[in-house]
Amino acid sequence: MIAYIVERLFQSLLVLVAVALIAFAVFQYVGDPIASMVGPDTTAADIARMRENLGLDKPVVVQFARFIGNVLSGKFGVSLRTVKPVEELIAERLPATLELSGMAALFALAFAIPLGVLTGLKPNHWASRVFMAVSLVGISLPTFLIGILLILLFGVVLGWLPTFGRGDVVKIGFWTTGLLTVSGWQSIILPAITLGLFQLTLIMRLVRSEMLEVLRTDYIKFARARGLTNRAINFGHALKNTLIPVITITGLQLGSIIAFAIITETVFQWPGMGLLFLQAVQFADIPVMSTYLLLIALLFVGINLVVDLLYYLVDPRLRADRGAMERGV
Amino acid sequence: MSLLARALDSDIWHSFRSSKTTILAAAVTAALVVAALLAPWISPQNPWDPGALQLIDAFNPPAWAPEGSWRFVLGTDDQGRDLLSAIFYGLRVSLTVGFLAVLFAMIVGIALGMFAGYAGGATETVIMRLADVQLTFPTILIALMIDGVTRALLPGEAHDRLAVLVLVFSIGVSNWVHYARTVRASTLVEKRKEYVQAARVIGLHPVIIMVRHVLPNVMGPVLVIATVGLAVAILTEATLSFLGVGVPGTQPSLGTLIRIGNNFLFSGEWWIVIFPGIALAMLVLAVNLLGDWLRDALNPKLR
């Protein structure tokens, strides 16, 4: 067990170092950082001094060590577009993205599991067929189109819900939340649905296929033979055993939700990290881009690690069989 | 038996004929591809020629609306571009980028995957770890990063001119992993078989063994991934263009058209978003259905 955790931690660290190297290379070598700072009357001596101040005259290894040191102490450079420290920009935007992603994940889970169970238990019922067909269309519609259609229906035609921004926010320490005001809740509905819909269809299909598989197994037949109620069989035995892959996928999807927030935030002008990143891409604002990359990598690696460990805790078979732990998928 | 007769008697053809959804999906895909190919000849207007656009024609509603005219069947956008023509041309961009990106990802993925599987050892570890790392990040994020970096490297005008190639590159790079993993797995199986050992014994060069003998035997799963990958690539291109980092607005793809329409959502010009949106959704849905069918048809477990 401990050996496994150490091994996974080591792997995660390796990934982070690799991403840090990429971020460093992009940060340091794409576009000359000096070029963006000099004016027409900067002398060659000034440039040389700036180069020295930024440490650009040192060997690459030293520069990389310095980059890592800066990152670890929370210094990510200055945004080329807004001329503000990147860490400030990100801290300002982070709460908006996390709240949106959290609501989207809750929305997806709250609908996906019941619908998955329903379509799994009664695959030939008309409602199941409708849900499956709709989910196929849901997968084929790009996120941004779903957002636009929701805006068109609920914002423009019906006029029920706000279609851009976060509404009124309340500041608690460094965290700004929209979840304490009515307009904040109204504003989060459409973006959260847009962002969660794809995960909803994905998890629903997963629960369905797992249910279909589990219901064919021997222990379900035995449970029936013992005369257990349908309820006890379906929820106590079948659903419980489908949840392991569901946990894994949901966890892994959490990372994608935060990444796909880029699109949703653009459609709804949601003032989160994704919108910040997109503006950075459009303006080739390298410091913001490389910081975002690092942050997302940290997040993804962290989520992957937690999911792997959870998997290990939830499924007793993995503890017995060392070979199965190497996720051969 | 002739080749045609053999093809008509194959399992795949039978499973194709017995599924109405698949036939419909194939028909829709074919129709959209043909429309894209023939765009310059069947479009009422050349939407990429600024000289052909009249601002006075801007914001025409579709023909059946009270103020619509049959000159612009699906209406016009803010610059007087005929939407039907723009959709035909947009399909062209979407399909071109999609096909090229899939081809690029496929070549890189097959080459690296086969190399990893055949060579083994440290080479394999490095390539497959790299693939694992990349797989943890969503496609769209990687494509956006690559696009941003190329934007910083190239001057603005050159970036616009090379937009399609940059898109193909960034979408292709972000998708090679799936091919590499599948091909490596099949290569590991194939290389232990007798025909490969025989080829080795007679002293064939490893590259020739890989390309001439192993490659044809690992192509089945690759085709399935490529079909689904085409849908993914088209969606990624549309998303990037919608986000404003794809093809420039003078030669709009479907995503760019939707981006343009998005600006006029609140002033009631719904058609600029809806029609390109329908075209995009139809294309992706049809390709996805074909991919589903191909996966089932080529899966020996289901036969």
Side-chain angles (χ1 to χ4, degrees):
Chain A
M1 174 80 192
I2 292 180
Y4 174 66
I5 294 179
V6 171
E7 192 188 317
R8 283 295 287 119
L9 276 176
F10 181 71
Q11 277 178 11
S12 310
L13 202 68
L14 217 63
V15 172
L16 281 182
V17 171
V19 175
L21 253 172
I22 297 173
F24 164 74
V26 168
F27 186 84
Q28 216 78 335
Y29 300 111
V30 174
D32 189 359
I34 299 288
S36 57
M37 294 180 210
V38 295
D41 44 288
T42 321
T43 63
D46 281 341
I47 292 180
R49 211 181 49 246
M50 284 163 97
R51 214 166 260 288
E52 208 184 307
N53 281 344
L54 286 173
L56 292 177
D57 53 341
K58 302 262 165 37
V60 179
V61 183
V62 178
Q63 286 189 36
F64 183 57
R66 231 169 121 142
F67 177 78
I68 295 287
N70 280 341
V71 165
L72 289 181
S73 54
K75 279 184 282 191
F76 297 94
V78 175
S79 156
L80 304 179
R81 187 172 62 89
T82 57
V83 211
K84 277 190 193 166
V86 177
E87 55 273 18
E88 257 177 46
L89 288 173
I90 299 256
E92 210 174 276
R93 302 292 193 99
L94 191 66
T97 296
L98 289 185
E99 276 180 8
L100 175 61
S101 308
M103 291 306 285
L106 279 181
F107 161 75
L109 276 181
F111 283 90
I113 294 181
L115 287 180
V117 171
L118 173 79
T119 47
L121 287 179
K122 295 189 168 32
N124 293 320
H125 194 269
W126 64 267
S128 305
R129 287 175 185 276
V130 169
F131 283 129
M132 289 307 287
V134 170
S135 79
L136 192 65
V137 176
I139 285 180
S140 299
L141 275 183
T143 314
F144 62 92
L145 204 54
I146 292 174
I148 290 175
L149 292 178
L150 286 177
I151 290 181
L152 198 60
L153 182 60
F154 291 102
V156 181
V157 177
L158 297 171
W160 288 352
L161 293 167
T163 54
F164 62 89
R166 287 180 82 189
D168 297 322
V169 291
V170 180
K171 212 168 163 66
I172 306 171
F174 68 93
W175 190 276
T176 54
T177 177
L179 299 181
L180 291 174
T181 61
V182 177
S183 70
W185 276 96
Q186 282 173 341
S187 303
I188 209 170
I189 295 177
L190 291 184
I193 292 178
T194 307
L195 188 53
L197 210 57
F198 180 77
Q199 326 295 332
L200 195 164
T201 50
L202 195 78
I203 298 172
M204 177 189 126
R205 286 171 158 259
L206 181 74
V207 172
R208 173 181 174 272
S209 62
E210 288 291 324
M211 279 298 268
L212 285 174
E213 197 127 296
V214 168
L215 286 174
R216 273 202 296 262
T217 54
D218 285 342
Y219 67 82
I220 296 291
K221 281 185 201 141
F222 278 116
R224 280 196 209 287
R226 270 166 62 202
L228 294 185
T229 57
N230 273 339
R231 199 187 147 88
I233 294 171
N234 292 342
F235 293 96
H237 293 276
L239 181 63
K240 219 166 139 188
N241 278 292
T242 62
L243 285 183
I244 295 168
V246 172
I247 291 175
T248 323
I249 299 290
T250 313
L252 295 178
Q253 287 299 314
L254 213 61
S256 326
I257 286 188
I258 292 176
F260 275 98
I262 299 171
I263 302 160
T264 311
E265 286 176 7
T266 311
V267 177
F268 290 93
Q269 290 299 303
W270 188 264
M273 275 193 319
L275 201 57
L276 182 76
F277 174 67
L278 186 71
Q279 284 159 349
V281 170
Q282 282 163 347
F283 286 85
D285 191 346
I286 294 293
V288 176
M289 277 169 61
S290 63
T291 309
Y292 184 83
L293 178 70
L294 275 178
L295 206 69
I296 289 284
L298 186 68
L299 211 79
F300 271 55
V301 169
I303 290 173
N304 272 338
L305 190 66
V306 170
V307 166
D308 266 15
L309 295 181
L310 264 185
Y311 208 65
Y312 191 71
L313 287 178
V314 171
D315 193 341
R317 280 168 301 184
L318 287 182
R319 263 167 281 167
D321 178 15
R322 181 72 177 69
M325 283 180 332
E326 310 287 336
R327 290 182 309 147
V329 222
Chain B
M1 241 199 299
S2 78
L3 206 61
L4 181 70
R6 262 174 63 194
L8 286 178
D9 196 38
S10 66
D11 286 352
I12 291 191
W13 179 248
H14 280 294
S15 93
F16 178 77
R17 275 204 331 191
S18 57
S19 160
K20 280 192 191 115
T21 326
T22 311
I23 295 176
L24 187 67
V28 170
T29 314
L32 291 173
V33 170
V34 167
L37 283 176
L38 298 182
W41 296 279
I42 57 173
S43 301
Q45 182 200 62
N46 180 0
W48 290 1
D49 174 15
L53 307 180
Q54 302 283 333
L55 273 182
I56 200 167
D57 292 329
F59 299 122
N60 255 313
W64 55 88
E67 286 158 43
S69 91
W70 283 102
R71 258 179 74 216
F72 307 109
V73 182
L74 298 181
T76 57
D77 72 355
D78 59 327
Q79 294 177 37
R81 212 179 262 132
D82 173 42
L83 270 182
L84 184 68
S85 317
I87 288 174
F88 288 156
Y89 275 78
L91 276 171
R92 226 173 144 92
V93 181
S94 298
L95 282 167
T96 310
V97 173
F99 272 118
L100 289 180
V102 165
L103 201 67
F104 184 71
M106 207 157 102
I107 292 173
V108 174
I110 290 177
L112 286 177
M114 217 149 71
F115 188 52
Y118 200 85
T123 326
E124 182 180 15
T125 313
V126 170
I127 295 178
M128 294 331 283
R129 283 289 148 251
L130 199 71
D132 286 348
V133 172
Q134 199 188 313
L135 206 61
T136 37
F137 298 95
T139 313
I140 188 80
L141 198 64
I142 295 168
L144 269 174
M145 282 305 296
I146 295 176
D147 192 276
V149 171
T150 47
R151 204 173 285 270
L153 286 174
L154 298 169
E157 183 223 355
H159 189 275
D160 270 3
R161 201 151 27 82
L162 297 173
V164 169
L165 288 183
V166 171
L167 274 175
V168 168
F169 179 73
S170 34
I171 299 172
V173 168
S174 50
N175 279 314
W176 67 274
V177 177
H178 303 283
Y179 301 94
R181 287 169 75 116
T182 312
V183 168
R184 170 185 160 263
S186 331
T187 307
L188 283 180
V189 176
E190 294 298 324
K191 84 171 176 186
R192 290 199 194 92
K193 291 197 177 156
E194 281 170 351
Y195 73 89
V196 174
Q197 290 181 354
R200 269 200 206 152
V201 168
I202 60 171
L204 284 186
H205 193 270
V207 173
I208 295 184
I209 300 181
M210 280 196 265
V211 175
R212 292 269 304 275
H213 301 283
V214 179
L215 185 63
N217 288 304
V218 301
M219 277 309 276
V222 168
L223 283 181
V224 176
I225 303 179
T227 319
V228 180
L230 179 64
V232 173
I234 291 172
L235 268 188
T236 313
E237 184 278 327
T239 306
L240 289 176
S241 293
F242 172 77
L243 294 176
V245 293
V247 292
T250 45
Q251 301 189 352
S253 73
L254 294 176
T256 324
L257 288 173
I258 297 172
R259 173 189 172 77
I260 296 171
N262 192 31
N263 297 330
F264 303 103
L265 217 49
F266 290 92
S267 44
E269 284 91 10
W270 51 269
W271 56 90
I272 311 179
V273 161
I274 295 295
F275 295 126
I278 292 175
L280 179 66
M282 261 169 44
L283 180 63
V284 175
L285 184 61
V287 175
N288 263 337
L289 286 171
L290 280 183
D292 275 0
W293 159 76
L294 199 61
R295 189 184 52 213
D296 292 348
L298 292 180
N299 187 349
K301 273 192 211 152
L302 293 177
R303 268 191 206 148

